[in-house]
Every structure is written in structure tokens, then in C-alpha cells.
Amino acid sequence: MKKVLLIISFFVGFTSSYPNFNHFETDKLISNKDKTFSFELDATAAEQSITIRSDVKEPMLIKIIDKSGFIRIQKKLHLDRTIDLSLLLEGLYLIKVYVGNHTEVKRFYKGQDGVDIR
């Protein structure tokens, strides 16, 4: 009787500490899906438009924010990732890109590049 109780208590203790034997595999699946993303801008100084380059295939929400904190452009982009900047004044802007639960911020300058090539 002692052996039976000992075996049962061992089994109950073991199964309660590991309720899901496959939890290591599910953690791997979750971590693969939860990767961060990154994007690049085609140029840090632009006059008419700017293009976002990224390998993410999901829709993106972008916000272009001026230096006073106002959102000047807000768009949802799918496959065409070119943003028209003709409505913006010359100056420094932040671009925030949201994909799923991830956010990344970069800055760019709207206007001519200040480098003079001779």
C-alpha cells in the first residue's frame, strides 16, 4: 500500500509540475511569430516622396510627425510603400511605423540635401 501511495504521489507531483509536455515546442512557435521588424527609408532627405523598404508583408500604419508633435500624415500602407510629401513644409520629421504590436521610429528631412558637390 505504501508503494502504491508513493507511486501515485510521485505521478501527481510530476504531472502537476509539467501540465503540458509540449510547452517547449509552443514557446518556440510563439517566439518565431513574435519577431521584431525593421524598415529603412530610401533617403534621409527627400523633396516629394519617401519610400519605406521592409521585408514585412503585413499592412503598416505610418504616422509622420513634425517637431512640435503634430501628426501631419497618417496612412495605412499595404504593398505600395511610397508616401507623398508634397503637402509638408520643409523641415525635420519623424516617421513612426506600426506593424502588429511592434513600433519603430526614424527621422528624415523634407527639403533639399545640404551637401554641395563641386
Side-chain angles (χ1 to χ4, degrees):
M1 184 68 176
K2 285 184 180 180
K3 286 183 180 180
V4 172
L5 290 175
L6 184 62
I7 292 172
I8 290 174
S9 64
F10 177 75
F11 183 74
V12 169
F14 183 74
T15 57
S16 65
S17 64
Y18 294 104
N20 185 2
F21 292 112
N22 295 335
H23 75 281
F24 296 113
E25 293 176 15
T26 56
D27 287 347
K28 288 179 187 176
L29 293 175
I30 290 171
S31 65
N32 286 342
K33 288 182 181 178
D34 198 32
K35 290 184 178 178
T36 59
F37 81 101
S38 66
F39 74 95
E40 295 295 323
L41 300 175
D42 60 349
T44 56
E47 288 189 46
Q48 296 299 319
S49 66
I50 197 163
T51 303
I52 297 174
R53 289 182 283 141
S54 176
D55 57 351
V56 176
K57 303 297 181 204
E58 297 177 39
M60 295 181 174
L61 174 68
I62 60 109
K63 293 180 182 179
I64 296 181
I65 303 166
D66 64 5
K67 59 185 171 184
S68 63
F70 290 109
I71 298 172
R72 296 298 176 184
I73 297 175
Q74 181 171 340
K75 282 183 147 184
K76 196 161 199 171
L77 302 176
H78 295 283
L79 297 176
D80 182 26
R81 304 235 169 118
T82 302
I83 303 159
D84 183 25
L85 302 177
S86 60
L87 297 175
L88 298 178
L89 298 174
E90 188 172 311
L92 186 65
Y93 293 91
L94 293 177
I95 181 166
K96 280 188 170 183
V97 177
Y98 302 88
V99 175
N101 293 332
H102 304 289
T103 305
E104 190 168 340
V105 179
K106 295 206 185 276
R107 62 180 171 214
F108 70 93
Y109 183 77
K110 200 272 185 177
Q112 291 184 344
D113 194 2
V115 177
D116 187 19
I117 301 174
R118 294 180 186 219

